[in-house]
Amino acid sequence: MTYADDDRKPRRSRLRVGLATVLFIFYLGFVMWVTMTPSLDGVGVDTVADRVLSVLHRIGVPESFGYMELEFAANIGMFIPLGFLLGLALPGWGWWLALILLPAYSIGIEWFQSEFLGDRVGDVRDIISNSLGAWIGTLIAATLRAMVHARDAKVLARAKWEEERARRTQRASRDPNRTAVLEELGVPVDRTPTAPTRQIPF
């Protein structure tokens, strides 16, 4: 099948979908470990948070930016990759589902923490921050996909235009009168009886 005969939209990249799906599964496992662990005291979270706050305050961040604000920002950052990867893995028509699924997942996390993890407390602020991060990541993925789709569409349109031009030139080359006109206009004319047809490079 040639470019000129192919009116389909640019194909979905299987490599992108497969890689995004694998990375999403691994990162989801990390998020589940962070959010479902009964206690993170043993991994030094408080110590790391104190060090981060100390650095931030030294570089000019107001002292009012404390542990709660850092936790809110960290929750946003944790869910950005989740939204980004899910936005890439979902079908083209369904990327927006991530805008619903991930906030629902965050609600489930907070419910599980409040019901089954005595040392963890469900917090509405965590749902808000997680949802914000998920939406940011998903919108970044949607923007990237739109840019790639537009680029691929232009490449296919250019290729189909060039192939159609080559076909018209070949047909004109069989007519001496048309050939003379084309040559006067400076249009290259292929005088071979047949010309190879380029195939779609997929």
Side-chain angles (χ1 to χ4, degrees):
M1 183 179 293
T2 63
Y3 285 112
D5 295 331
D6 187 10
D7 294 329
R8 291 175 299 179
K9 297 180 180 179
R11 295 185 179 182
R12 190 177 182 221
S13 172
R14 293 182 179 178
L15 176 61
R16 184 203 74 205
V17 173
L19 183 60
T21 301
V22 171
L23 292 177
F24 173 77
I25 292 173
F26 276 100
Y27 191 76
L28 180 64
F30 166 75
V31 172
M32 291 183 67
W33 173 76
V34 171
T35 56
M36 301 297 187
T37 301
S39 176
L40 294 177
D41 295 338
V43 297
V45 172
D46 291 338
T47 301
V48 173
D50 291 338
R51 292 179 179 177
V52 171
L53 286 174
S54 178
V55 172
L56 292 176
H57 293 158
R58 282 203 303 269
I59 63 176
V61 176
E63 293 289 336
S64 58
F65 187 90
Y67 182 82
M68 294 180 62
E69 289 75 17
L70 178 62
E71 182 185 25
F72 189 87
N75 285 336
I76 293 177
M78 181 174 64
F79 266 67
I80 288 178
L82 209 59
F84 178 77
L85 294 172
L86 185 57
L88 292 181
L90 288 171
W93 53 266
W95 63 265
W96 55 269
L97 289 174
L99 300 175
I100 301 174
L101 294 176
L102 293 180
Y105 173 64
S106 178
I107 293 173
I109 288 174
E110 298 305 314
W111 173 81
F112 186 87
Q113 288 179 346
S114 62
E115 292 292 328
F116 301 102
L117 302 179
D119 295 334
R120 306 291 289 266
V121 178
D123 193 340
V124 175
R125 290 176 305 169
D126 291 346
I127 297 175
I128 296 174
S129 58
N130 293 342
S131 299
L132 287 174
W135 292 339
I136 292 172
T138 303
L139 294 177
I140 292 174
T143 301
L144 180 62
R145 288 175 61 165
M147 293 172 61
V148 172
H149 185 276
R151 181 206 63 187
D152 292 347
K154 289 181 180 179
V155 170
L156 286 176
R158 176 69 181 181
K160 287 191 278 189
W161 177 84
E162 290 179 350
E163 186 169 284
E164 183 61 26
R165 182 173 181 269
R167 286 183 174 183
R168 292 178 179 177
T169 302
Q170 181 181 349
R171 288 196 299 268
S173 66
R174 298 171 184 172
D175 187 335
N177 295 327
R178 292 183 178 179
T179 299
V181 173
L182 289 174
E183 290 177 342
E184 289 180 2
L185 295 174
V187 177
V189 177
D190 186 3
R191 295 179 177 275
T192 57
T194 59
T197 301
R198 291 176 295 175
Q199 302 293 320
I200 297 178
F202 296 138

